[in-house]
């Protein structure tokens, strides 16, 4: 057990960077430090996704036998194959729980720096309060602070805030509910893919789970900075909750950045690199990024799900068709190490796994 714990924590590390929340409140816009200036952010081509464009999946229509709707399942399949993203509504997680989660995570970020820093990252680790993916002193920096916590298989309570006093309990309850939603989705995806749901769940269910709470301070020159660099998620499946009413998630579609506008109470679900590999490319892990608001801070909580570190990532046999396997065979641990050893850079980690055909 102890060795599994240390293995997980050794998956990555990041250089220490300034606290962006403090920086943002201390400077005027003309003083944005050079390392945060992102020329590529300025040239952003942004189309807003019409409410009905990013697929919206109604979970109730898929899990309630009386309401079961075959077309809803095709929509889920299409979303995973063509968008890599969808909104999930009627997911059964109570409104009160979502509100409590939003309040408690906001409560943490509102604390004075000193109190937050009691939970800061330690050298050589990625859990805790700080930043991730920073590997050189020259690298451009994202306009955000993060709190990363592993919820499964082992929690390291050193990094778990004690204020708000209900924080730990809230996150435990929230992540458990999210895990159940994710298991439902895995079983439905198996149906769509034509594989045995039991096999899908055996490979993916209830293994590793972690959260990343992203705090994006406002910036008067929002179009000169980036909240989160373009990336795909290096895990199997992500469930994101935008925790206040400020939009900022953009996904790349047809080489354009599209702004996601979550419906009230909806989760944004996306396919990660590991699921793309395990479906032999049938499901897509799509590049996305976060932009900054001029006036208001933005807050989101991403819940990541992936198989245990010793699992070997391989396509399900039913999905290896005429083309054979499209990706190198790699363990979860090796892939994670590769992912965390580089700055966020689009889909570069996943691209390096593709076998040339
Ligand atoms: C992430 C992510 C987007 C957002 O944490 O991986 O893509 O809107 N977050 O915060
Ligand atoms: Ni992401």
């Amino acid at each position: 057990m102890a060795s599994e714990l240390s293995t997980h924590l050794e998956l990555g590390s990041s250089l220490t960077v300034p606290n962006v929340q403090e920086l943002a409140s201390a400077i005027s816009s003309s003083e944005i430090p050079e390392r945060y200036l992102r020329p590529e952010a300025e040239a952003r081509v942004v189309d807003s996704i019409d409410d009905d464009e990013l697929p919206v999946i109604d979970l109730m229509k898929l899990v309630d036998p009386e309401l079961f709707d075959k077309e809803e399942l095709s929509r889920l399949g299409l979303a995973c194959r063509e968008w890599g993203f969808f909104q999930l509504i009627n997911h059964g997680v109570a409104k009160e729980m979502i509100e409590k989660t939003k309040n408690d995570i906001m409560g943490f970020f509102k604390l004075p720096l000193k109190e937050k820093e009691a939970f800061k990252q330690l050298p050589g680790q990625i859990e805790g309060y700080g930043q991730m993916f920073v590997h050189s002193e020259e690298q451009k920096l994202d306009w955000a602070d993060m709190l990363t916590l592993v919820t499964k298989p082992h929690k390291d309570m050193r990094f778990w805030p004690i204020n708000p006093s209900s924080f730990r309990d809230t996150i435990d309850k929230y992540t458990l509910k999210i895990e159940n939603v994710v298991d439902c989705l895995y079983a439905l995806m198996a149906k769509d893919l034509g594989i045995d749901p039991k096999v899908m769940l055996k490979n993916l269910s209830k293994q590793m789970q972690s959260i990343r709470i992203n705090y994006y301070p406002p910036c008067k020159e929002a179009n000169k900075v980036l909240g989160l660099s373009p990336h795909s998620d290096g895990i199997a499946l992500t469930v994101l909750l935008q925790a206040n009413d400020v939009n900022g998630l953009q996904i790349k579609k047809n080489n354009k950045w599209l702004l996601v506008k979550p419906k009230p109470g909806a989760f944004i679900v996306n396919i990660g690199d590991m699921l793309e590999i395990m479906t032999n490319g049938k499901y897509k892990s799509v590049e996305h990024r976060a932009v900054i608001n001029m006036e208001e801070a933005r807050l989101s909580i991403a819940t990541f799900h992936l198989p245990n570190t010793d699992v070997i990532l391989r396509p399900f046999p039913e999905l290896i068709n005429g083309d054979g396997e499209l990706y190198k065979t790699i363990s979860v641990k090796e892939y994670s190490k590769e992912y965390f050893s580089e700055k966020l850079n689009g889909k570069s980690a996943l691209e390096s796994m593709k076998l040339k055909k």
Side-chain angles (χ1 to χ4, degrees), residues 85 133 146 212-214 216 228-229 231-233 238 240-242 248-250 270 288-291 298-302 304 339 344:
F85 267 87
F133 309 106
M146 297 167 168
R212 175 154 79 220
I213 306 173
N214 303 292
Y216 304 102
L228 190 56
S229 298
H231 67 284
S232 59
D233 293 349
T238 306
L240 184 100
L241 174 68
Q242 185 166 286
L249 171 64
Q250 297 182 339
N270 66 288
H288 52 284
R289 67 181 193 177
V291 298
R298 177 167 182 267
L299 186 69
S300 70
I301 170 169
F304 302 114
Y339 185 85
L344 285 179

PDB file of all heavy atoms in Angstrom, residues 85 133 146 212-214 216 228-229 231-233 238 240-242 248-250 270 288-291 298-302 304 339 344, ligand 1:
ATOM      1  N   PHE A  85     -16.436  15.857 -26.033  1.00  0.00           N
ATOM      2  CA  PHE A  85     -17.001  16.666 -24.947  1.00  0.00           C
ATOM      3  C   PHE A  85     -18.522  16.606 -24.998  1.00  0.00           C
ATOM      4  O   PHE A  85     -19.101  16.560 -26.077  1.00  0.00           O
ATOM      5  CB  PHE A  85     -16.643  18.154 -25.168  1.00  0.00           C
ATOM      6  CG  PHE A  85     -15.399  18.609 -24.475  1.00  0.00           C
ATOM      7  CD1 PHE A  85     -14.156  18.468 -25.077  1.00  0.00           C
ATOM      8  CD2 PHE A  85     -15.469  19.206 -23.226  1.00  0.00           C
ATOM      9  CE1 PHE A  85     -13.002  18.907 -24.447  1.00  0.00           C
ATOM     10  CE2 PHE A  85     -14.322  19.655 -22.590  1.00  0.00           C
ATOM     11  CZ  PHE A  85     -13.087  19.501 -23.193  1.00  0.00           C
ATOM     12  N   PHE A 133       2.850  21.576 -14.207  1.00  0.00           N
ATOM     13  CA  PHE A 133       3.355  21.626 -15.585  1.00  0.00           C
ATOM     14  C   PHE A 133       4.394  22.716 -15.826  1.00  0.00           C
ATOM     15  O   PHE A 133       4.603  23.124 -16.953  1.00  0.00           O
ATOM     16  CB  PHE A 133       2.197  21.813 -16.590  1.00  0.00           C
ATOM     17  CG  PHE A 133       1.072  20.839 -16.395  1.00  0.00           C
ATOM     18  CD1 PHE A 133      -0.132  21.248 -15.843  1.00  0.00           C
ATOM     19  CD2 PHE A 133       1.220  19.503 -16.746  1.00  0.00           C
ATOM     20  CE1 PHE A 133      -1.181  20.355 -15.655  1.00  0.00           C
ATOM     21  CE2 PHE A 133       0.180  18.600 -16.565  1.00  0.00           C
ATOM     22  CZ  PHE A 133      -1.018  19.028 -16.015  1.00  0.00           C
ATOM     23  N   MET A 146      -3.941  26.548  -8.557  1.00  0.00           N
ATOM     24  CA  MET A 146      -4.669  25.275  -8.532  1.00  0.00           C
ATOM     25  C   MET A 146      -4.516  24.587  -7.188  1.00  0.00           C
ATOM     26  O   MET A 146      -3.504  24.757  -6.509  1.00  0.00           O
ATOM     27  CB  MET A 146      -4.050  24.314  -9.557  1.00  0.00           C
ATOM     28  CG  MET A 146      -4.146  24.764 -10.975  1.00  0.00           C
ATOM     29  SD  MET A 146      -3.054  23.737 -11.971  1.00  0.00           S
ATOM     30  CE  MET A 146      -3.639  24.218 -13.595  1.00  0.00           C
ATOM     31  N   ARG A 212      -8.843  18.625  -9.487  1.00  0.00           N
ATOM     32  CA  ARG A 212      -8.048  19.844  -9.625  1.00  0.00           C
ATOM     33  C   ARG A 212      -9.032  20.998  -9.560  1.00  0.00           C
ATOM     34  O   ARG A 212      -9.971  21.053 -10.356  1.00  0.00           O
ATOM     35  CB  ARG A 212      -7.303  19.853 -10.956  1.00  0.00           C
ATOM     36  CG  ARG A 212      -6.564  21.134 -11.189  1.00  0.00           C
ATOM     37  CD  ARG A 212      -5.373  20.944 -12.103  1.00  0.00           C
ATOM     38  NE  ARG A 212      -5.764  20.885 -13.499  1.00  0.00           N
ATOM     39  CZ  ARG A 212      -5.226  20.056 -14.380  1.00  0.00           C
ATOM     40  NH1 ARG A 212      -4.308  19.201 -14.016  1.00  0.00           N
ATOM     41  NH2 ARG A 212      -5.610  20.078 -15.632  1.00  0.00           N
ATOM     42  N   ILE A 213      -8.840  21.856  -8.574  1.00  0.00           N
ATOM     43  CA  ILE A 213      -9.684  23.041  -8.481  1.00  0.00           C
ATOM     44  C   ILE A 213      -8.880  24.179  -9.092  1.00  0.00           C
ATOM     45  O   ILE A 213      -7.744  24.440  -8.685  1.00  0.00           O
ATOM     46  CB  ILE A 213     -10.063  23.334  -7.015  1.00  0.00           C
ATOM     47  CG1 ILE A 213     -10.690  22.078  -6.384  1.00  0.00           C
ATOM     48  CG2 ILE A 213     -11.029  24.508  -6.941  1.00  0.00           C
ATOM     49  CD1 ILE A 213     -10.945  22.184  -4.889  1.00  0.00           C
ATOM     50  N   ASN A 214      -9.441  24.785 -10.116  1.00  0.00           N
ATOM     51  CA  ASN A 214      -8.735  25.844 -10.849  1.00  0.00           C
ATOM     52  C   ASN A 214      -9.322  27.187 -10.456  1.00  0.00           C
ATOM     53  O   ASN A 214     -10.532  27.394 -10.566  1.00  0.00           O
ATOM     54  CB  ASN A 214      -8.920  25.676 -12.363  1.00  0.00           C
ATOM     55  CG  ASN A 214      -8.459  24.319 -12.869  1.00  0.00           C
ATOM     56  OD1 ASN A 214      -7.269  24.021 -12.857  1.00  0.00           O
ATOM     57  ND2 ASN A 214      -9.398  23.489 -13.314  1.00  0.00           N
ATOM     58  N   TYR A 216      -9.103  31.104 -11.402  1.00  0.00           N
ATOM     59  CA  TYR A 216      -8.608  32.018 -12.432  1.00  0.00           C
ATOM     60  C   TYR A 216      -8.921  33.462 -12.024  1.00  0.00           C
ATOM     61  O   TYR A 216     -10.062  33.909 -12.168  1.00  0.00           O
ATOM     62  CB  TYR A 216      -9.313  31.737 -13.757  1.00  0.00           C
ATOM     63  CG  TYR A 216      -9.199  30.307 -14.262  1.00  0.00           C
ATOM     64  CD1 TYR A 216     -10.253  29.396 -14.116  1.00  0.00           C
ATOM     65  CD2 TYR A 216      -8.045  29.870 -14.910  1.00  0.00           C
ATOM     66  CE1 TYR A 216     -10.162  28.087 -14.593  1.00  0.00           C
ATOM     67  CE2 TYR A 216      -7.946  28.564 -15.389  1.00  0.00           C
ATOM     68  CZ  TYR A 216      -9.007  27.683 -15.224  1.00  0.00           C
ATOM     69  OH  TYR A 216      -8.913  26.400 -15.701  1.00  0.00           O
ATOM     70  N   LEU A 228      -5.461  28.593 -18.693  1.00  0.00           N
ATOM     71  CA  LEU A 228      -4.923  27.229 -18.745  1.00  0.00           C
ATOM     72  C   LEU A 228      -4.522  26.961 -20.194  1.00  0.00           C
ATOM     73  O   LEU A 228      -5.349  27.104 -21.099  1.00  0.00           O
ATOM     74  CB  LEU A 228      -5.992  26.234 -18.255  1.00  0.00           C
ATOM     75  CG  LEU A 228      -5.593  24.796 -17.994  1.00  0.00           C
ATOM     76  CD1 LEU A 228      -4.443  24.683 -16.999  1.00  0.00           C
ATOM     77  CD2 LEU A 228      -6.790  23.987 -17.468  1.00  0.00           C
ATOM     78  N   SER A 229      -3.248  26.615 -20.388  1.00  0.00           N
ATOM     79  CA  SER A 229      -2.722  26.394 -21.739  1.00  0.00           C
ATOM     80  C   SER A 229      -3.485  25.285 -22.458  1.00  0.00           C
ATOM     81  O   SER A 229      -4.014  24.382 -21.804  1.00  0.00           O
ATOM     82  CB  SER A 229      -1.256  25.973 -21.661  1.00  0.00           C
ATOM     83  OG  SER A 229      -0.479  26.975 -21.075  1.00  0.00           O
ATOM     84  N   HIS A 231      -4.498  21.957 -23.982  1.00  0.00           N
ATOM     85  CA  HIS A 231      -4.081  20.615 -23.578  1.00  0.00           C
ATOM     86  C   HIS A 231      -5.221  19.636 -23.814  1.00  0.00           C
ATOM     87  O   HIS A 231      -6.369  20.036 -23.971  1.00  0.00           O
ATOM     88  CB  HIS A 231      -3.723  20.590 -22.079  1.00  0.00           C
ATOM     89  CG  HIS A 231      -4.912  20.818 -21.194  1.00  0.00           C
ATOM     90  ND1 HIS A 231      -5.481  22.061 -21.004  1.00  0.00           N
ATOM     91  CD2 HIS A 231      -5.676  19.958 -20.451  1.00  0.00           C
ATOM     92  CE1 HIS A 231      -6.514  21.967 -20.201  1.00  0.00           C
ATOM     93  NE2 HIS A 231      -6.678  20.695 -19.847  1.00  0.00           N
ATOM     94  N   SER A 232      -4.881  18.359 -23.817  1.00  0.00           N
ATOM     95  CA  SER A 232      -5.918  17.346 -23.646  1.00  0.00           C
ATOM     96  C   SER A 232      -5.640  16.723 -22.287  1.00  0.00           C
ATOM     97  O   SER A 232      -4.538  16.837 -21.762  1.00  0.00           O
ATOM     98  CB  SER A 232      -5.863  16.312 -24.776  1.00  0.00           C
ATOM     99  OG  SER A 232      -4.601  15.682 -24.810  1.00  0.00           O
ATOM    100  N   ASP A 233      -6.650  16.098 -21.684  1.00  0.00           N
ATOM    101  CA  ASP A 233      -6.475  15.576 -20.326  1.00  0.00           C
ATOM    102  C   ASP A 233      -5.790  14.200 -20.387  1.00  0.00           C
ATOM    103  O   ASP A 233      -6.238  13.324 -21.114  1.00  0.00           O
ATOM    104  CB  ASP A 233      -7.829  15.474 -19.609  1.00  0.00           C
ATOM    105  CG  ASP A 233      -8.435  16.859 -19.334  1.00  0.00           C
ATOM    106  OD1 ASP A 233      -7.719  17.864 -19.501  1.00  0.00           O
ATOM    107  OD2 ASP A 233      -9.614  16.927 -18.948  1.00  0.00           O
ATOM    108  N   THR A 238     -12.937  12.940 -17.624  1.00  0.00           N
ATOM    109  CA  THR A 238     -13.010  14.112 -16.744  1.00  0.00           C
ATOM    110  C   THR A 238     -14.454  14.589 -16.608  1.00  0.00           C
ATOM    111  O   THR A 238     -15.185  14.626 -17.601  1.00  0.00           O
ATOM    112  CB  THR A 238     -12.192  15.297 -17.341  1.00  0.00           C
ATOM    113  OG1 THR A 238     -10.872  14.872 -17.607  1.00  0.00           O
ATOM    114  CG2 THR A 238     -12.167  16.485 -16.389  1.00  0.00           C
ATOM    115  N   LEU A 240     -16.192  18.017 -15.299  1.00  0.00           N
ATOM    116  CA  LEU A 240     -15.880  19.377 -14.860  1.00  0.00           C
ATOM    117  C   LEU A 240     -17.147  20.103 -14.409  1.00  0.00           C
ATOM    118  O   LEU A 240     -18.174  20.035 -15.069  1.00  0.00           O
ATOM    119  CB  LEU A 240     -15.235  20.157 -16.012  1.00  0.00           C
ATOM    120  CG  LEU A 240     -14.773  21.572 -15.644  1.00  0.00           C
ATOM    121  CD1 LEU A 240     -13.273  21.607 -15.371  1.00  0.00           C
ATOM    122  CD2 LEU A 240     -15.104  22.575 -16.727  1.00  0.00           C
ATOM    123  N   LEU A 241     -17.018  20.757 -13.286  1.00  0.00           N
ATOM    124  CA  LEU A 241     -18.102  21.621 -12.804  1.00  0.00           C
ATOM    125  C   LEU A 241     -17.586  23.047 -12.793  1.00  0.00           C
ATOM    126  O   LEU A 241     -16.585  23.335 -12.136  1.00  0.00           O
ATOM    127  CB  LEU A 241     -18.523  21.196 -11.392  1.00  0.00           C
ATOM    128  CG  LEU A 241     -19.546  22.091 -10.692  1.00  0.00           C
ATOM    129  CD1 LEU A 241     -20.910  22.014 -11.380  1.00  0.00           C
ATOM    130  CD2 LEU A 241     -19.691  21.691  -9.213  1.00  0.00           C
ATOM    131  N   GLN A 242     -18.240  23.908 -13.543  1.00  0.00           N
ATOM    132  CA  GLN A 242     -17.898  25.319 -13.487  1.00  0.00           C
ATOM    133  C   GLN A 242     -18.544  25.844 -12.211  1.00  0.00           C
ATOM    134  O   GLN A 242     -19.751  25.778 -12.051  1.00  0.00           O
ATOM    135  CB  GLN A 242     -18.440  26.019 -14.725  1.00  0.00           C
ATOM    136  CG  GLN A 242     -18.029  27.465 -14.821  1.00  0.00           C
ATOM    137  CD  GLN A 242     -18.292  28.021 -16.214  1.00  0.00           C
ATOM    138  OE1 GLN A 242     -17.577  27.706 -17.151  1.00  0.00           O
ATOM    139  NE2 GLN A 242     -19.314  28.838 -16.343  1.00  0.00           N
ATOM    140  N   GLY A 248     -15.424  30.364 -19.524  1.00  0.00           N
ATOM    141  CA  GLY A 248     -14.018  30.517 -19.907  1.00  0.00           C
ATOM    142  C   GLY A 248     -13.431  29.270 -20.551  1.00  0.00           C
ATOM    143  O   GLY A 248     -12.367  29.329 -21.147  1.00  0.00           O
ATOM    144  N   LEU A 249     -14.139  28.142 -20.441  1.00  0.00           N
ATOM    145  CA  LEU A 249     -13.621  26.926 -21.087  1.00  0.00           C
ATOM    146  C   LEU A 249     -13.862  27.014 -22.585  1.00  0.00           C
ATOM    147  O   LEU A 249     -14.966  27.321 -23.026  1.00  0.00           O
ATOM    148  CB  LEU A 249     -14.338  25.692 -20.511  1.00  0.00           C
ATOM    149  CG  LEU A 249     -14.065  24.370 -21.233  1.00  0.00           C
ATOM    150  CD1 LEU A 249     -12.608  23.938 -21.131  1.00  0.00           C
ATOM    151  CD2 LEU A 249     -14.976  23.253 -20.687  1.00  0.00           C
ATOM    152  N   GLN A 250     -12.809  26.767 -23.338  1.00  0.00           N
ATOM    153  CA  GLN A 250     -12.931  26.741 -24.798  1.00  0.00           C
ATOM    154  C   GLN A 250     -12.440  25.401 -25.311  1.00  0.00           C
ATOM    155  O   GLN A 250     -11.428  24.890 -24.842  1.00  0.00           O
ATOM    156  CB  GLN A 250     -12.086  27.855 -25.427  1.00  0.00           C
ATOM    157  CG  GLN A 250     -12.542  29.250 -25.028  1.00  0.00           C
ATOM    158  CD  GLN A 250     -11.719  30.324 -25.715  1.00  0.00           C
ATOM    159  OE1 GLN A 250     -10.602  30.078 -26.173  1.00  0.00           O
ATOM    160  NE2 GLN A 250     -12.250  31.537 -25.778  1.00  0.00           N
ATOM    161  N   ASN A 270     -15.545  15.167 -20.459  1.00  0.00           N
ATOM    162  CA  ASN A 270     -14.704  14.983 -21.649  1.00  0.00           C
ATOM    163  C   ASN A 270     -13.846  13.728 -21.595  1.00  0.00           C
ATOM    164  O   ASN A 270     -13.453  13.257 -20.537  1.00  0.00           O
ATOM    165  CB  ASN A 270     -13.861  16.233 -21.970  1.00  0.00           C
ATOM    166  CG  ASN A 270     -12.814  16.570 -20.947  1.00  0.00           C
ATOM    167  OD1 ASN A 270     -13.110  17.025 -19.860  1.00  0.00           O
ATOM    168  ND2 ASN A 270     -11.563  16.330 -21.300  1.00  0.00           N
ATOM    169  N   HIS A 288      -8.382  21.545 -25.303  1.00  0.00           N
ATOM    170  CA  HIS A 288      -9.181  22.622 -24.737  1.00  0.00           C
ATOM    171  C   HIS A 288      -8.281  23.551 -23.918  1.00  0.00           C
ATOM    172  O   HIS A 288      -7.125  23.218 -23.649  1.00  0.00           O
ATOM    173  CB  HIS A 288     -10.323  22.050 -23.878  1.00  0.00           C
ATOM    174  CG  HIS A 288      -9.886  21.064 -22.838  1.00  0.00           C
ATOM    175  ND1 HIS A 288      -9.538  19.765 -23.136  1.00  0.00           N
ATOM    176  CD2 HIS A 288      -9.723  21.192 -21.502  1.00  0.00           C
ATOM    177  CE1 HIS A 288      -9.195  19.140 -22.032  1.00  0.00           C
ATOM    178  NE2 HIS A 288      -9.284  19.985 -21.015  1.00  0.00           N
ATOM    179  N   ARG A 289      -8.790  24.696 -23.531  1.00  0.00           N
ATOM    180  CA  ARG A 289      -8.017  25.659 -22.747  1.00  0.00           C
ATOM    181  C   ARG A 289      -8.986  26.526 -21.945  1.00  0.00           C
ATOM    182  O   ARG A 289     -10.208  26.418 -22.114  1.00  0.00           O
ATOM    183  CB  ARG A 289      -7.162  26.535 -23.678  1.00  0.00           C
ATOM    184  CG  ARG A 289      -7.994  27.450 -24.562  1.00  0.00           C
ATOM    185  CD  ARG A 289      -7.113  28.292 -25.494  1.00  0.00           C
ATOM    186  NE  ARG A 289      -7.885  29.366 -26.111  1.00  0.00           N
ATOM    187  CZ  ARG A 289      -7.375  30.287 -26.913  1.00  0.00           C
ATOM    188  NH1 ARG A 289      -6.090  30.253 -27.233  1.00  0.00           N
ATOM    189  NH2 ARG A 289      -8.129  31.238 -27.429  1.00  0.00           N
ATOM    190  N   ALA A 290      -8.453  27.353 -21.076  1.00  0.00           N
ATOM    191  CA  ALA A 290      -9.337  28.252 -20.319  1.00  0.00           C
ATOM    192  C   ALA A 290      -8.856  29.682 -20.488  1.00  0.00           C
ATOM    193  O   ALA A 290      -7.650  29.954 -20.414  1.00  0.00           O
ATOM    194  CB  ALA A 290      -9.357  27.864 -18.844  1.00  0.00           C
ATOM    195  N   VAL A 291      -9.805  30.590 -20.733  1.00  0.00           N
ATOM    196  CA  VAL A 291      -9.473  32.012 -20.861  1.00  0.00           C
ATOM    197  C   VAL A 291      -9.992  32.759 -19.634  1.00  0.00           C
ATOM    198  O   VAL A 291     -10.764  32.232 -18.834  1.00  0.00           O
ATOM    199  CB  VAL A 291     -10.028  32.621 -22.170  1.00  0.00           C
ATOM    200  CG1 VAL A 291      -9.410  31.943 -23.382  1.00  0.00           C
ATOM    201  CG2 VAL A 291     -11.553  32.558 -22.212  1.00  0.00           C
ATOM    202  N   ARG A 298     -12.820  33.294 -11.914  1.00  0.00           N
ATOM    203  CA  ARG A 298     -13.543  32.116 -12.373  1.00  0.00           C
ATOM    204  C   ARG A 298     -13.039  30.922 -11.574  1.00  0.00           C
ATOM    205  O   ARG A 298     -11.858  30.857 -11.213  1.00  0.00           O
ATOM    206  CB  ARG A 298     -13.288  31.906 -13.863  1.00  0.00           C
ATOM    207  CG  ARG A 298     -13.934  30.670 -14.422  1.00  0.00           C
ATOM    208  CD  ARG A 298     -13.927  30.680 -15.962  1.00  0.00           C
ATOM    209  NE  ARG A 298     -14.608  29.486 -16.395  1.00  0.00           N
ATOM    210  CZ  ARG A 298     -14.001  28.338 -16.681  1.00  0.00           C
ATOM    211  NH1 ARG A 298     -12.680  28.237 -16.612  1.00  0.00           N
ATOM    212  NH2 ARG A 298     -14.700  27.292 -17.036  1.00  0.00           N
ATOM    213  N   LEU A 299     -13.943  29.987 -11.293  1.00  0.00           N
ATOM    214  CA  LEU A 299     -13.584  28.832 -10.483  1.00  0.00           C
ATOM    215  C   LEU A 299     -14.164  27.576 -11.115  1.00  0.00           C
ATOM    216  O   LEU A 299     -15.327  27.570 -11.533  1.00  0.00           O
ATOM    217  CB  LEU A 299     -14.168  29.029  -9.078  1.00  0.00           C
ATOM    218  CG  LEU A 299     -13.807  28.001  -8.024  1.00  0.00           C
ATOM    219  CD1 LEU A 299     -12.331  28.099  -7.657  1.00  0.00           C
ATOM    220  CD2 LEU A 299     -14.636  28.220  -6.747  1.00  0.00           C
ATOM    221  N   SER A 300     -13.357  26.526 -11.195  1.00  0.00           N
ATOM    222  CA  SER A 300     -13.882  25.258 -11.725  1.00  0.00           C
ATOM    223  C   SER A 300     -13.267  24.112 -10.929  1.00  0.00           C
ATOM    224  O   SER A 300     -12.204  24.255 -10.323  1.00  0.00           O
ATOM    225  CB  SER A 300     -13.546  25.110 -13.207  1.00  0.00           C
ATOM    226  OG  SER A 300     -12.158  24.904 -13.373  1.00  0.00           O
ATOM    227  N   ILE A 301     -13.977  22.986 -10.918  1.00  0.00           N
ATOM    228  CA  ILE A 301     -13.425  21.782 -10.296  1.00  0.00           C
ATOM    229  C   ILE A 301     -13.516  20.639 -11.297  1.00  0.00           C
ATOM    230  O   ILE A 301     -14.594  20.286 -11.761  1.00  0.00           O
ATOM    231  CB  ILE A 301     -14.111  21.449  -8.944  1.00  0.00           C
ATOM    232  CG1 ILE A 301     -13.693  20.061  -8.424  1.00  0.00           C
ATOM    233  CG2 ILE A 301     -15.622  21.550  -9.005  1.00  0.00           C
ATOM    234  CD1 ILE A 301     -14.107  19.759  -6.993  1.00  0.00           C
ATOM    235  N   ALA A 302     -12.342  20.108 -11.648  1.00  0.00           N
ATOM    236  CA  ALA A 302     -12.270  18.983 -12.583  1.00  0.00           C
ATOM    237  C   ALA A 302     -12.035  17.714 -11.765  1.00  0.00           C
ATOM    238  O   ALA A 302     -11.176  17.702 -10.883  1.00  0.00           O
ATOM    239  CB  ALA A 302     -11.128  19.195 -13.568  1.00  0.00           C
ATOM    240  N   PHE A 304     -10.923  13.888 -12.194  1.00  0.00           N
ATOM    241  CA  PHE A 304     -10.255  13.028 -13.180  1.00  0.00           C
ATOM    242  C   PHE A 304     -10.348  11.562 -12.770  1.00  0.00           C
ATOM    243  O   PHE A 304     -10.170  11.239 -11.590  1.00  0.00           O
ATOM    244  CB  PHE A 304      -8.776  13.405 -13.283  1.00  0.00           C
ATOM    245  CG  PHE A 304      -8.529  14.838 -13.672  1.00  0.00           C
ATOM    246  CD1 PHE A 304      -7.939  15.726 -12.785  1.00  0.00           C
ATOM    247  CD2 PHE A 304      -8.875  15.306 -14.933  1.00  0.00           C
ATOM    248  CE1 PHE A 304      -7.699  17.051 -13.140  1.00  0.00           C
ATOM    249  CE2 PHE A 304      -8.642  16.627 -15.306  1.00  0.00           C
ATOM    250  CZ  PHE A 304      -8.048  17.500 -14.403  1.00  0.00           C
ATOM    251  N   TYR A 339       3.286  12.557 -19.385  1.00  0.00           N
ATOM    252  CA  TYR A 339       2.342  13.692 -19.424  1.00  0.00           C
ATOM    253  C   TYR A 339       2.779  14.807 -18.473  1.00  0.00           C
ATOM    254  O   TYR A 339       2.753  15.982 -18.817  1.00  0.00           O
ATOM    255  CB  TYR A 339       0.952  13.187 -19.060  1.00  0.00           C
ATOM    256  CG  TYR A 339      -0.151  14.218 -19.180  1.00  0.00           C
ATOM    257  CD1 TYR A 339      -0.776  14.460 -20.404  1.00  0.00           C
ATOM    258  CD2 TYR A 339      -0.564  14.952 -18.074  1.00  0.00           C
ATOM    259  CE1 TYR A 339      -1.793  15.395 -20.520  1.00  0.00           C
ATOM    260  CE2 TYR A 339      -1.579  15.897 -18.177  1.00  0.00           C
ATOM    261  CZ  TYR A 339      -2.188  16.114 -19.400  1.00  0.00           C
ATOM    262  OH  TYR A 339      -3.200  17.050 -19.500  1.00  0.00           O
ATOM    263  N   LEU A 344       2.182  21.859 -20.575  1.00  0.00           N
ATOM    264  CA  LEU A 344       0.962  21.553 -21.326  1.00  0.00           C
ATOM    265  C   LEU A 344       1.168  22.042 -22.745  1.00  0.00           C
ATOM    266  O   LEU A 344       1.509  23.191 -22.973  1.00  0.00           O
ATOM    267  CB  LEU A 344      -0.242  22.260 -20.705  1.00  0.00           C
ATOM    268  CG  LEU A 344      -0.794  21.682 -19.410  1.00  0.00           C
ATOM    269  CD1 LEU A 344      -1.974  22.529 -18.936  1.00  0.00           C
ATOM    270  CD2 LEU A 344      -1.212  20.229 -19.570  1.00  0.00           C
TER     271      LEU A 344
HETATM  272  C1  LIG B   1      -8.614  21.050 -16.588  1.00  0.00           C
HETATM  273  C2  LIG B   1      -9.423  21.916 -17.469  1.00  0.00           C
HETATM  274  C3  LIG B   1     -10.965  23.762 -17.711  1.00  0.00           C
HETATM  275  C4  LIG B   1     -11.671  24.787 -16.919  1.00  0.00           C
HETATM  276  O1  LIG B   1      -8.571  21.304 -15.358  1.00  0.00           O
HETATM  277  O2  LIG B   1      -8.016  20.088 -17.121  1.00  0.00           O
HETATM  278  O3  LIG B   1      -9.420  21.718 -18.647  1.00  0.00           O
HETATM  279  O4  LIG B   1     -12.666  25.303 -17.425  1.00  0.00           O
HETATM  280  N1  LIG B   1     -10.134  22.921 -16.915  1.00  0.00           N
HETATM  281  O5  LIG B   1     -11.230  25.102 -15.818  1.00  0.00           O
END
